Amino acid sequence: MTAVPSGFQTGFPVRPDLVVEAAGADDVRDAVAGAASGGLRVAVHATGHGLAGPVEGGALIDTRRMDSVRIDPVRRTAAVGAGTTWGQVVEAAAPHGLAPLNGSAPGVGAVSYTLGGGLGILGREFGYAADQVRSLDVVTGDGVLRHVTAKDEPELFWGLRGGGHRLGVVTGLETGLVPVDRLYGGSIAFDGDGGAGAEVLRRYQAWTRTLPDALTSSVAALVYPDLPQMPEALRGRYVVSVRVAYTGSAAGGERLVAPLRAIGPVLADSLREMPYAESPSIHNDPPFPHAYYGDGLMLSGLDPERAVRVLELTGRGAPMMTVVQLNHLGGALATAPAAGNAVPYRGAGFLLRLLSPLDGTDVAAVRALYEEVAGVLAPLVVGRSLNFSFGGGDRTDGFHDPRTRERLAGLVSRYDPASLFGGAYGVSRDGR
């Protein structure tokens, strides 16, 4: 037993009865068996980015020490431990001209991100991170350590890839890598005040209809705090930015983003060719722990009138700082791998993400704002994103379509009949 581990998400208390600092799969197996015999529920803590809510009582397995990475450049695979971050995998793969399907933030846990599906910066070209998984090692509720592949225990293999943490404690996995060593990417920022943000969003939506699958993008809108540590060009402004990751040539990228630059004057433009290892600079996610609440709505599409109303609700007039991000989906994200997996809503056209810092902010007020946004978008919402429900352990509906949820529930009854991994099905423990 050790002290309660600190994590990236600081907005919710973590008060287990027992903490197990695991150094390997045997420690995890012993911890699960011990929890089962003691009647304790089990939660897992890696980097803590996507903490689903308070952890009260039970056993908490901390996997941060299980941070191994092994690259096989011939097979183009990476074997990663339960506590490994995407930054570690990117760094290890780069010398071989390879890249994983990581997300925007290098400090996120690779395994937990992948269990939730894993929407990455190259998603439209290569699909979800879960689509690349070759095998997983998992300790199920009966305390058995299982090596799971498409051939060995195919149903569990299906459910672990996109089903979240409810089927056991994954101690490591092997994932495929893609032959990418550089890209054209960055962001272009516009002043969003005076209705300009709505125009950027309208032009962005039209632009996405012309794009090849090799270009994955998103648009973000937020009011930057008027603080000295903020970039001077953005400080205190309502900024709408388009983020781009394109695996084609820099010249091709310049041609593709020309319609964006034609929108009007820009506040900042960081689009350039870069080594893949520098891809975290595209989003510049905050690297420091903080408190936040978030949700993600999978949308069939987005019409201009509803988009404008979302910006009105979350911009300068919002009751708290709210970051809005609209991810363009489609491409390879719309196609499941041959063996299938539990990643839902393949037909969605966009993902609308909301995130609000919680320091000094009432959680109930944040929830009320999010419900209002969801109401505006209701005719377009097909479900919710498991990876991007930050602090939302109270909201477990919509993570999977009914057929997938029923199939996953059958796996839970088989592999975790005592409900050790507790709570409603589909709550994620790590996110982006």
Side-chain angles (χ1 to χ4, degrees):
M1 181 173 176
T2 185
V4 175
S6 59
F8 191 83
Q9 164 67 283
T10 63
F12 299 90
V14 180
R15 294 187 288 253
D17 297 321
L18 175 70
V19 178
V20 177
E21 190 174 279
D26 288 343
D27 292 340
V28 173
R29 182 173 53 193
D30 292 346
V32 171
S37 65
L40 297 175
R41 287 192 171 185
V42 176
V44 184
H45 189 285
T47 66
H49 274 73
L51 187 68
V55 176
E56 300 283 359
L60 179 65
I61 301 175
D62 178 10
T63 64
R64 287 179 299 177
R65 292 174 60 192
M66 299 170 62
D67 62 350
S68 60
V69 185
R70 187 175 68 255
I71 305 296
D72 185 332
V74 176
R75 296 177 59 238
R76 293 182 178 174
T77 60
V80 301
T84 306
T85 65
W86 274 130
Q88 292 172 283
V89 185
V90 170
E91 181 180 1
H96 306 287
L98 300 171
L101 297 189
N102 56 287
S104 61
V108 166
V111 168
S112 41
Y113 161 100
T114 302
L115 296 182
L119 174 60
I121 62 173
L122 303 180
R124 280 177 42 82
E125 183 170 4
F126 297 107
Y128 287 95
D131 300 342
Q132 289 286 335
V133 173
R134 308 289 180 83
S135 66
L136 308 99
D137 295 306
V138 58
V139 177
T140 47
D142 53 8
V144 175
L145 175 61
R146 304 170 187 270
H147 183 67
V148 180
T149 67
K151 182 178 179 181
D152 299 315
E153 304 204 58
E155 187 69 2
L156 186 55
F157 183 65
W158 172 88
L160 286 168
R161 297 170 302 132
H165 79 286
R166 275 290 281 116
L167 296 173
V169 183
V170 173
T171 62
L173 59 78
E174 183 182 55
T175 184
L177 303 172
V178 296
V180 174
D181 61 358
R182 41 72 54 203
L183 52 74
Y184 174 85
S187 68
I188 182 168
F190 302 89
D191 189 338
D193 280 320
E199 177 64 10
V200 173
L201 192 54
R202 184 186 68 80
R203 300 275 288 272
Y204 170 76
Q205 287 178 261
W207 178 69
T208 60
R209 292 193 287 268
T210 70
L211 298 178
D213 292 350
L215 194 152
T216 302
S217 68
S218 64
V219 61
L222 72 152
V223 179
Y224 274 82
D226 190 5
L227 298 173
Q229 56 265 42
M230 293 292 106
E232 186 173 354
L234 307 179
R235 192 180 304 163
R237 289 180 176 269
Y238 181 41
V239 178
V240 179
S241 302
V242 180
R243 289 88 166 263
V244 171
Y246 174 58
T247 58
S249 69
E254 286 287 309
R255 288 192 295 271
L256 286 169
V257 302
L260 297 178
R261 291 199 170 113
I263 291 174
V266 302
L267 300 175
D269 186 340
S270 66
L271 291 167
R272 62 186 175 89
E273 186 167 35
M274 66 179 73
Y276 189 79
E278 295 180 14
S279 61
S281 67
I282 296 173
H283 291 76
N284 275 324
D285 291 321
F288 49 85
H290 56 288
Y292 50 94
Y293 191 90
D295 202 359
L297 303 176
M298 304 294 285
L299 308 177
S300 58
L302 189 63
D303 65 68
E305 289 185 6
R306 295 182 194 279
V308 169
R309 182 57 181 151
V310 169
L311 293 184
E312 291 173 349
L313 289 171
T314 58
R316 286 202 182 276
M320 75 288 297
M321 179 181 176
T322 302
V323 181
V324 175
Q325 179 166 309
L326 185 70
N327 289 78
H328 180 214
L329 305 179
L333 296 166
T335 304
N341 59 33
V343 176
Y345 310 124
R346 296 273 182 174
F350 293 94
L351 164 65
L352 191 285
R353 296 165 51 184
L354 301 166
L355 188 144
S356 297
L358 289 182
D359 293 334
T361 302
D362 180 42
V363 173
V366 177
R367 290 173 180 158
L369 174 63
Y370 287 14
E371 288 173 4
E372 190 170 3
V373 171
V376 169
L377 298 172
L380 306 172
V381 175
V382 297
R384 293 175 53 235
S385 170
L386 181 57
N387 275 138
F388 299 107
S389 177
F390 302 126
D394 57 316
R395 298 166 293 114
T396 59
D397 59 299
F399 287 142
H400 297 91
D401 58 272
R403 180 175 295 181
T404 300
R405 186 169 62 247
E406 181 178 0
R407 188 173 173 184
L408 288 168
L411 285 171
V412 169
S413 65
R414 176 179 175 184
Y415 290 100
D416 184 25
S419 194
L420 282 186
F421 306 113
Y425 189 82
V427 180
S428 177
R429 290 293 178 192
D430 218 331
R432 285 174 299 206

